[in-house]
Amino acid sequence: MARNKVKLEWIVNDTARKAAFKKRKKGLMKKMSELSTLCDVKACMIIYGPDEPHADVWPSVPDAMRVLARLKRLPETEQSKKMMNQEALMRQRIRKLEEQLQKQDKENRELETALLMHQCMSGRSLHDVAIEDVTALAWMTEMNMKKVRERVEDAALKSAEKVKEEKPLVNDKGKTPMTAAANEELPRQDWFAGAMDLGELMIRRNDDHKNTWLNTYYPMD
């Protein structure tokens, strides 16, 4: 069963607050002990309770003094390099959440554009589609065509290397198999070149309607 998420705010009830302090202090000391043992690091912990006359020190006062003395021997820039207060911690968490949100937003836009592409391939008209979506569609089409071109070039390179390794044979008509294969490949290149022209046409039609908002997801430069 999943645990309920704790609301991070000051506990008003005195009894509940003291119980939470005692429980979490014990858990924190346990975690510190595990960290020190498993990772072989020098660590210490000092906790001042609100109603306690003396501070709780882990693992002991002499060990804590040695760790603090080692810290003080460092230059001031090194001492504060990885220090973090509550405000800095919250800012760091907010920044990470914003990055995750932006990443998820981009993924959602790409999924919506892919869906629009499949709908257009099924016969949907673009008359009722916003200019941002059309531009995104053109961007995705160009990216897919770029991948296709790269795969075609890679396949052609591998084929050429394979042909070089083999001894060329001449048939009765005086043509090598490589020449015949090249002639057969010409019709295939024609339809592919047409597809390239169509993608470039879609992009040119949308050049006059560039949107700065779209550059976050689909950089055209």
Side-chain angles (χ1 to χ4, degrees):
M1 183 176 179
R3 297 172 57 184
N4 295 330
K5 189 175 181 180
V6 179
K7 191 175 183 179
L8 296 178
E9 63 180 13
W10 186 70
I11 302 175
V12 179
N13 185 276
D14 291 341
T15 304
R17 185 172 63 254
K18 291 179 180 179
F21 173 75
K22 183 178 180 180
K23 178 181 178 181
R24 292 182 178 276
K25 180 179 67 174
K26 183 178 179 180
L28 186 59
M29 288 184 175
K30 181 181 178 181
K31 291 294 183 183
M32 186 68 70
S33 177
E34 292 174 354
L35 177 65
S36 178
T37 302
L38 295 174
C39 303
D40 190 23
V41 296
K42 302 299 180 182
C44 68
M45 183 174 67
I46 303 174
I47 300 179
Y48 283 92
D51 300 321
E52 297 179 1
H54 303 289
D56 292 310
V57 182
W58 182 93
S60 65
V61 174
D63 291 335
M65 293 297 293
R66 281 193 288 269
V67 174
L68 292 176
R70 180 180 176 183
L71 175 64
K72 290 181 179 180
R73 285 196 298 268
L74 295 174
E76 292 185 4
T77 55
E78 292 294 327
Q79 290 183 25
S80 59
K81 187 175 182 180
K82 295 186 178 180
M83 286 186 180
M84 187 175 297
N85 55 20
Q86 185 68 20
E87 181 181 359
L89 178 62
M90 294 304 297
R91 289 182 180 276
Q92 184 185 68
R93 294 182 62 181
I94 291 173
R95 184 170 61 253
K96 289 183 178 180
L97 289 174
E98 289 177 345
E99 292 175 356
Q100 293 177 3
L101 179 61
Q102 185 176 3
K103 181 180 178 181
Q104 188 63 49
D105 193 17
K106 181 179 179 181
E107 291 178 357
N108 292 341
R109 288 291 305 170
E110 290 178 352
L111 289 174
E112 292 175 358
T113 305
L115 177 61
L116 178 60
M117 177 181 291
H118 287 293
Q119 292 175 348
C120 292
M121 293 174 64
S122 301
R124 176 180 174 178
S125 175
L126 295 177
H127 293 294
D128 58 340
V129 180
I131 185 62
E132 293 86 358
D133 296 332
V134 174
T135 308
L137 179 61
W139 179 88
M140 180 168 286
T141 302
E142 175 62 22
M143 292 299 102
N144 291 337
M145 293 169 65
K146 181 179 179 181
K147 292 179 181 178
V148 172
R149 285 194 293 266
E150 291 175 352
R151 293 183 63 180
V152 169
E153 293 173 357
D154 184 60
L157 182 61
K158 292 181 179 179
S159 177
E161 292 176 351
K162 185 177 180 181
V163 170
K164 289 180 180 179
E165 295 175 356
E166 299 177 355
K167 183 178 180 180
L169 301 176
V170 180
N171 55 23
D172 297 337
K173 298 181 180 180
K175 295 182 179 180
T176 63
M178 183 176 180
T179 305
N183 292 333
E184 294 177 358
E185 196 66 23
L186 288 176
R188 301 179 186 179
Q189 296 177 358
D190 290 340
W191 74 262
F192 185 76
M196 300 298 104
D197 296 338
L198 177 60
E200 294 175 359
L201 177 61
M202 292 179 64
I203 295 174
R204 287 199 300 269
R205 291 181 60 184
N206 290 280
D207 282 343
D208 297 334
H209 305 280
K210 289 185 178 178
N211 194 299
T212 56
W213 163 85
L214 196 62
N215 291 337
T216 306
Y217 308 99
Y218 309 102
M220 300 298 295
D221 296 334

